[in-house]
Structures are given as structure tokens and as C-alpha cells.
């Protein structure tokens, strides 16, 4: 297995990022994507993505076999909400591991939630999604959507060994179409993808 570079790694923060000028689009418009409501927020921000990421999702969906669809769960995340998610998970880790240093907590939290200062969700450049059948029922991908490493015993990692054959096949299918469309996977979460063109 190759080294996993966490979002908290200084090498990630050192990557220069420039505004692409791409606007945010509402993925619910046009009905091209199946949109799940589990992450709705008061501002309804969850359904927005940069237009280029949205186009990549449509391309990926077109590569799926008949009867299988992408199920969009969350895109844009306001910075305050990103901070809330990160701090909540970091707090759980602090409670479970009172002897861990602040640096170790920060690094461990970044396995599951991107640090707020570099989170691609807060730019509309990342998406959480899964696969569903033609009726909108989620397919087996080995864990519940957004399972954390502790809850899933590491099965949330994209290439986890402790999942069944059907889940592995579905992860491979999801990964293949999203990679072909130009999206990259955060390897600690099978359900999270971001634009491969962070400097657009």
C-alpha cells in the first residue's frame, strides 16, 4: 500500500491555490444527479459545487452501467460548518485519547475531516457521494456513508481489506468512473472526492 498523505500534512498546505473563477452550481437543477437529503443545512449550501466538479460528476455518471447511479450527498460546506465538523471529531478523539498531543489530535482528525484552513469542501471543490441502484437505494460499499476510522475499524479507508467482495467491487466501480472523469479520492474515505485540478 502506498503512503497516505493526510490533509493535515504540511505538504498539502504548501500547494499554491488560486481562485479559478468557476461559479458554484446547484446540482439539483436539471435532475441529472440523484441528490440525497441527509446533509441538508439551513443555507441549503450542501447541493452546490464548482461548475467543473459538477461537469466531472456528470461525466462519471455517464460511465456507470445501466441501473447504477451516483448518489450525491454533500458538496459545498461553509467554512464555519467545516470548522464545526473538524472540532467535533477532534473533541471525540481528545476524549478517547487524553494523552495525545494537540498535534497528534489534529493529524488524526484530518483522517476523517479536512482541517478548516485547507478544506476543499469550503471551496465547492469536493464532494461526498456513493452509488445507488435505479430506485435510489444505496449499494453496499462496506460501511455506512461517512463512517469514521474508529467506528468502522478502518473499513472506511478506500482500500480497506476488511470489507466484502460486493463492497470492494462497488468501490472499484466508483473509483474507476470518478478517476476517469478527473476526480481524486481522499484515501481515508471511500466516499470523498475532490477536483484533481486544485490550481485551475
Amino acid at each position: 500500500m502506498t503512503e497516505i498523505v493526510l490533509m493535515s500534512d504540511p505538504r498539502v498546505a504548501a500547494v499554491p491555490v488560486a481562485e479559478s473563477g468557476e461559479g458554484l452550481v446547484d446540482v439539483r437543477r436539471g435532475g441529472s444527479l440523484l441528490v440525497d437529503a441527509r446533509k441538508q443545512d439551513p443555507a441549503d449550501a450542501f447541493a452546490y459545487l464548482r461548475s467543473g466538479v459538477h461537469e466531472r460528476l456528470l461525466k462519471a455518471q455517464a460511465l456507470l452501467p445501466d441501473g447504477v447511479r451516483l448518489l450525491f450527498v454533500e458538496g459545498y460546506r461553509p467554512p464555519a460548518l467545516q470548522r464545526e465538523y473538524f472540532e467535533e471529531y477532534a473533541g471525540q478523539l481528545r476524549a478517547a485519547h487524553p494523552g495525545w498531543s494537540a498535534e497528534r489530535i489534529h493529524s488524526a482528525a484530518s483522517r476523517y475531516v479536512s482541517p478548516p484552513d485547507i478544506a476543499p469542501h469550503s471551496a465547492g471543490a469536493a464532494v461526498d457521494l456513493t452509488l445507488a441502484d435505479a430506485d435510489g437505494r444505496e449499494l453496499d460499499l462496506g460501511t455506512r456513508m461517512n463512517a469514521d476510522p474508529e467506528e468502522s475499524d478502518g473499513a472506511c479507508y478506500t482500500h480497506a481489506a476488511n470489507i466484502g467482495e460486493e463492497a470492494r467491487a462497488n468501490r472499484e466501480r466508483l473509483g474507476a468512473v470518478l478517476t476517469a472523469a478527473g476526480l481524486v479520492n481522499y484515501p481515508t474515505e471511500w466516499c470523498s472526492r475532490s477536483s484533481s485540478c486544485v490550481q485551475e
Side-chain angles (χ1 to χ4, degrees):
M1 185 170 156
T2 60
E3 175 196 12
I4 293 177
V5 178
L6 297 176
M7 293 296 281
S8 61
D9 192 295
R11 293 174 288 180
V12 174
V15 174
V17 178
E19 172 58 54
S20 68
E22 283 186 12
L24 293 172
V25 297
D26 187 336
V27 301
R28 298 169 293 189
R29 292 203 177 137
S32 298
L33 290 174
L34 183 61
V35 179
D36 186 85
R38 79 183 89 196
K39 285 285 189 169
Q40 286 190 15
D41 56 87
D44 227 16
F46 83 100
Y48 287 83
L49 281 177
R50 294 285 181 148
S51 59
V53 179
H54 181 240
E55 290 166 12
R56 289 178 183 97
L57 288 183
L58 296 178
K59 180 180 176 184
Q61 183 163 270
L63 297 172
L64 288 169
D66 287 343
V68 179
R69 296 187 67 188
L70 294 177
L71 177 59
F72 175 96
V73 177
E74 185 178 26
Y76 175 71
R77 194 178 292 157
L81 184 57
Q82 182 71 30
R83 184 168 303 286
E84 179 184 322
Y85 285 171
F86 188 83
E87 291 303 328
E88 180 181 333
Y89 184 50
Q92 292 171 14
L93 292 171
R94 272 191 291 279
H97 306 283
W100 283 10
S101 68
E103 182 178 309
R104 185 169 181 189
I105 293 290
H106 186 80
S107 177
S110 78
R111 295 171 306 161
Y112 179 60
V113 184
S114 293
D117 53 331
I118 59 160
H121 273 289
S122 295
V127 59
D128 290 347
L129 46 70
T130 187
L131 293 175
D133 65 17
D135 296 318
R137 290 184 300 261
E138 288 183 51
L139 301 183
D140 176 16
L141 279 101
T143 69
R144 73 171 182 84
M145 179 75 184
N146 289 323
D148 66 46
E150 290 74 28
E151 167 193 339
S152 69
D153 192 27
C156 63
Y157 282 51
T158 304
H159 300 292
N162 56 338
I163 60 172
E165 288 182 28
E166 180 181 356
R168 185 171 325 287
N170 285 331
R171 286 187 188 188
E172 288 172 3
R173 175 179 289 136
L174 179 63
V177 300
L178 293 170
T179 299
L183 295 167
V184 295
N185 170 242
Y186 190 39
T188 63
E189 298 181 84
W190 60 260
C191 60
S192 185
R193 304 289 166 167
S194 63
S195 170
S196 61
C197 304
V198 294
Q199 296 184 62
E200 295 179 296

